[in-house]
Amino acid sequence: MSRRAEKPRRPPRRPAPPEQDVAALRHSTREHGARLLDALESSRASYLTVFDLSPIGYAVMDENGRLESINLMLAGMLGQLRAYMVGLPFLLSVANEHRARFLQYLQECREAGSEGKWCELHLLGSAAVGTIPVRLITRRIKTPGGNTRLLMAAVDQSKHERAIAELEENGRRLHLLTKELEARSHEAEEASARLRGMAREVNRAEQRERQRIARLLHDDLQQLLVSAKMRMRLLQTGSGNGRGLDEVTDLIDAAINSSRLLTSQISPPLLEDAGLEAGLRWLVRFMQDHHKLAVDLEVNLGSEPMDLSDRDFLFQAARELLLNIVKHANVRSARVRASARHRRAVLEVIDQGIGFDPDVVKGDGQEMGLRTLWERVRLLGGTLVVDTHPGEGSRIRLNLPLDEADASGEKKKKKKKKELPTPVRQLAAAGASERVRVLIADDHRVVREGLQSLLNREDWLEIVGQAADGRQAVLMTRELDPDVVIMDISMPELNGIEATRIITGENPHAKIIALSMHQQEEMASAMLAAGAKRYFTKGGPTEDLVQAVRELGAAAAADGNRTARRPA
């Protein structure tokens, strides 16, 4: 039985929607499309805003590297207008030396698919900026239409490179500083070693000097005093010979001379009382008398004030250098030049002897004293230049900055105004007799009283006062108006030379007799130049001092009417 083929059933036909429903659907579709367009336009505007205002440079290129769009940041970096750059190959914005690298980079980006690639090169900026180091990061993207584009970001590396350059420069400076510190450390170690050596040498020199002074005191001065004492005992027992007193006097004179020489060798009073020039002239005579070394001296200190410590250092340096000549130069003559200008002193010591190797100054050989002097000069801020060679003599030049000092050579300090003792003021107000009026100025009370006891034996003179220092001597002379002032030279506050200069400048009538422990010609010359009329050494014949007081007192009386100068 054959079955009849069945026809497929058709779905039931839906009834057509009403006409108003079709219209509503069309309206809804239009509204949805409009919303989508608005959203798309909003997204595009947001994209363009982010694209344009991004702090990183962005560009869109085709696969051949031709610009399709560029943001404000990248255009500003290149110093160009966006409208001008669109459509041009980006290769034109790459520095000439990096264009081959950019072309290779562009090929790598085309072959990389969606994988990002980076490259570092320099772009051409404005004329004011020059080339700009950048890092390019590029990704190949597909557009909805099926085309491909290259999205490129350009990151300015200028700050990064500057930071690297600064780091490298700081590293270089740090390296130089490290090397300098190492050199300074090495110099400090060498200086420390030199200072230790100098300290040892100074200690040895001090020890040798103490031993020398002790030998002089024991072998010379003490023996003379002991002999004088023994002879005095013989005189006391009546067993001495007829020359006993003369022998004691001779021994005491020898002891005084020995102490004078010792004092001058340790620290000449001339330096403090008469200045550096007088001290150097004494040194010239000392070298001739004791070492047979003839010294040609030239001094040009001008009016440059000089502190006592500077004077002493220059004097000791000159003596040390001259003693080196005596010991090592094998000559009998030398030259010394001393000058001062613009707060610096220069001392030159020259000889035509056998010379020496200047490198020994840095060693520990026989020139150790010269090396010690070199170190001391450096510590004082000066220089010591040694110009010498074996067989060619030597020239040693010392340049020393001077300490601040006033015109008298003393450090500036406040000086209190001194008042005269009440008895002195009373004596000055009471008037005086016609006898020779004498003022004694000495910083040692024993000497003052000894002089007063000696002079009180003379009935034609009158001791009107005693001054313990130069400043007090000036004040008492103003108050007491003495005819004769017996003036010691080495005194505190104001030395006898300066006090004499002030007194004779204020009162030409007063006659000054200089009295000193020292026999130096320079000391006598300085006192006589200041206005003194006589110069005697302590321990000399007392009758000479008394005669000088008599003569000068008579000269003072002859200068004018005393009653006109003194109150009635």
Side-chain angles (χ1 to χ4, degrees):
M1 176 175 171
S2 60
R3 303 179 70 178
R4 186 182 294 181
E6 297 181 357
K7 292 182 180 181
R9 295 180 180 182
R10 293 179 179 179
R13 181 175 296 178
R14 294 180 181 179
E19 191 171 328
Q20 62 271 20
D21 292 340
V22 173
L25 179 61
R26 288 176 179 173
H27 179 72
S28 175
T29 302
R30 284 195 299 270
E31 287 184 349
H32 182 67
R35 286 196 298 270
L36 288 177
L37 289 175
D38 289 343
L40 181 61
E41 185 64 27
S42 177
S43 297
R44 182 175 181 276
S46 299
Y47 164 76
L48 290 176
T49 300
V50 172
F51 181 78
D52 280 343
L53 301 181
S54 172
I56 297 175
Y58 285 109
V60 178
M61 304 180 296
D62 62 17
E63 289 195 337
N64 294 322
R66 193 175 297 274
L67 288 169
E68 293 185 355
S69 63
I70 181 173
N71 72 344
L72 292 173
M73 183 65 185
L74 184 54
M77 289 169 57
L78 300 176
Q80 302 289 345
L81 295 174
R82 287 197 297 178
Y84 169 78
M85 297 191 67
V86 171
L88 295 176
F90 189 74
L91 180 66
L92 298 178
S93 299
V94 179
N96 293 335
E97 64 272 17
H98 290 165
R99 287 183 177 181
R101 183 189 302 177
F102 177 75
L103 292 175
Q104 178 65 30
Y105 171 66
L106 194 63
Q107 181 63 30
E108 293 175 357
C109 292
R110 286 195 293 262
E111 297 174 354
S114 61
E115 181 183 355
K117 290 288 185 179
W118 66 270
C119 174
E120 290 184 350
L121 46 76
H122 285 190
L123 300 181
L124 296 174
S126 64
V129 175
T131 59
I132 305 170
V134 296
R135 169 173 280 205
L136 300 180
I137 305 171
T138 306
R139 184 184 297 274
R140 188 169 179 266
I141 59 174
K142 287 186 178 182
T143 63
N147 297 322
T148 58
R149 294 290 184 270
L150 298 176
L151 178 60
M152 182 180 68
V155 181
D156 190 348
Q157 296 286 92
S158 300
K159 292 183 179 179
H160 177 69
E161 288 198 355
R162 283 197 298 270
I164 293 176
E166 288 178 0
L167 286 174
E168 291 176 350
E169 177 64 17
N170 290 337
R172 187 184 66 82
R173 290 180 179 177
L174 181 60
H175 178 68
L176 294 176
L177 181 59
T178 301
K179 291 182 65 176
E180 185 175 355
L181 287 176
E182 290 176 353
R184 293 290 182 269
S185 177
H186 183 65
E187 290 179 2
E189 291 177 358
E190 290 183 345
S192 178
R194 290 196 302 268
L195 287 175
R196 287 195 297 269
M198 186 175 69
R200 287 193 294 269
E201 178 60 23
V202 169
N203 289 336
R204 288 194 290 266
E206 289 180 352
Q207 182 181 8
R208 290 194 298 268
E209 192 66 14
R210 286 194 297 269
Q211 290 174 346
R212 186 180 71 85
I213 293 172
R215 284 195 301 270
L216 286 173
L217 291 174
H218 178 269
D219 298 341
D220 191 4
L221 184 59
Q222 292 177 1
Q223 303 302 323
L224 291 171
L225 293 175
V226 169
S227 297
K229 186 175 181 179
M230 292 173 61
R231 281 167 173 74
M232 290 182 67
R233 286 181 177 175
L234 290 175
L235 290 175
Q236 288 176 346
T237 59
S239 57
N241 56 34
R243 294 190 64 258
L245 285 176
D246 293 338
E247 290 177 353
V248 172
T249 302
D250 293 341
L251 288 171
I252 293 175
D253 288 340
I256 292 173
N257 290 331
S258 177
S259 66
R260 286 172 179 165
L261 179 60
L262 181 60
T263 301
S264 298
Q265 291 181 3
I266 295 173
S267 180
L270 276 167
L271 291 176
E272 181 175 3
D273 299 325
L276 178 61
E277 181 174 355
L280 290 176
R281 296 196 182 282
W282 175 88
L283 180 61
V284 167
R285 194 171 67 254
F286 176 84
M287 297 302 296
Q288 175 66 50
D289 295 342
H290 292 80
H291 299 286
K292 306 304 179 186
L293 180 70
V295 180
D296 176 23
L297 178 65
E298 180 180 321
V299 181
N300 185 18
L301 301 177
S303 58
E304 198 76 16
M306 193 177 300
D307 183 68
L308 177 59
S309 61
D310 291 332
R311 282 179 269 167
D312 184 72
F313 180 80
L314 292 168
F315 175 85
Q316 300 297 343
R319 183 171 67 173
E320 177 69 27
L321 294 174
L322 290 175
L323 289 176
N324 275 345
I325 292 174
V326 171
K327 295 175 184 176
H328 308 302
N330 196 23
V331 291
R332 290 298 180 187
S333 64
R335 286 183 294 165
V336 174
R337 304 287 182 264
S339 61
R341 188 181 180 187
H342 302 316
R343 305 306 304 140
R344 298 193 74 88
V346 176
L347 176 70
E348 278 190 308
V349 178
I350 307 164
D351 71 82
Q352 301 298 322
I354 60 175
F356 57 90
D357 184 355
D359 288 338
V360 302
V361 178
K362 303 176 182 178
D364 296 325
Q366 65 179 3
E367 301 296 336
M368 183 65 186
L370 187 57
R371 189 180 76 126
T372 302
L373 178 61
W374 177 57
E375 291 289 355
R376 291 175 63 195
V377 171
R378 288 185 62 191
L379 291 175
L380 292 174
T383 58
L384 183 71
V385 179
V386 179
D387 182 12
T388 181
H389 295 284
E392 298 182 7
S394 63
R395 177 190 294 266
I396 299 175
R397 180 183 176 91
L398 187 155
N399 192 309
L400 183 72
L402 296 177
D403 196 2
E404 291 299 325
D406 61 19
S408 66
E410 299 293 338
K411 285 188 176 179
K412 294 179 179 179
K413 59 182 180 180
K414 282 188 175 181
K415 294 179 179 178
K416 296 181 180 178
K417 185 177 180 180
K418 285 196 170 185
E419 291 287 341
L420 289 174
T422 301
V424 173
R425 294 198 300 271
Q426 294 174 347
L427 180 60
S433 66
E434 291 301 316
R435 293 186 294 175
V436 176
R437 297 162 54 79
V438 178
L439 173 67
I440 299 173
D442 197 293
D443 58 328
H444 293 92
R445 183 177 58 83
V446 174
V447 175
R448 295 197 304 270
E449 293 179 353
L451 286 172
Q452 182 159 350
S453 298
L454 172 67
L455 296 176
N456 276 339
R457 300 175 183 175
E458 309 295 332
D459 56 3
W460 48 269
L461 63 78
E462 175 186 6
I463 306 298
V464 296
Q466 296 183 13
D469 56 63
R471 196 168 301 281
Q472 193 177 52
V474 172
L475 295 175
M476 293 180 71
T477 302
R478 292 169 181 166
E479 293 287 337
L480 300 175
D481 193 18
D483 299 307
V484 177
V485 180
I486 300 177
M487 181 78 72
D488 186 21
I489 297 179
S490 299
M491 289 189 295
E493 294 290 335
L494 193 69
N495 63 51
I497 298 173
E498 293 300 324
T500 298
R501 185 174 290 114
I502 294 172
I503 291 173
T504 54
E506 295 178 351
N507 184 6
H509 157 79
K511 310 301 180 184
I512 310 296
I513 297 177
L515 197 63
S516 174
M517 281 293 297
H518 308 284
Q519 292 178 324
Q520 288 95 339
E521 295 176 3
E522 294 76 18
M523 191 80 82
S525 298
M527 279 298 289
L528 295 175
K533 301 301 182 183
R534 299 285 193 279
Y535 182 91
F536 294 105
T537 58
K538 296 177 182 178
T542 57
E543 56 271 18
D544 293 345
L545 175 62
V546 173
Q547 181 62 27
V549 172
R550 184 189 298 274
E551 292 175 358
L552 293 177
D559 284 346
N561 186 2
R562 290 183 179 178
T563 58
R565 294 185 284 104
R566 301 191 187 121

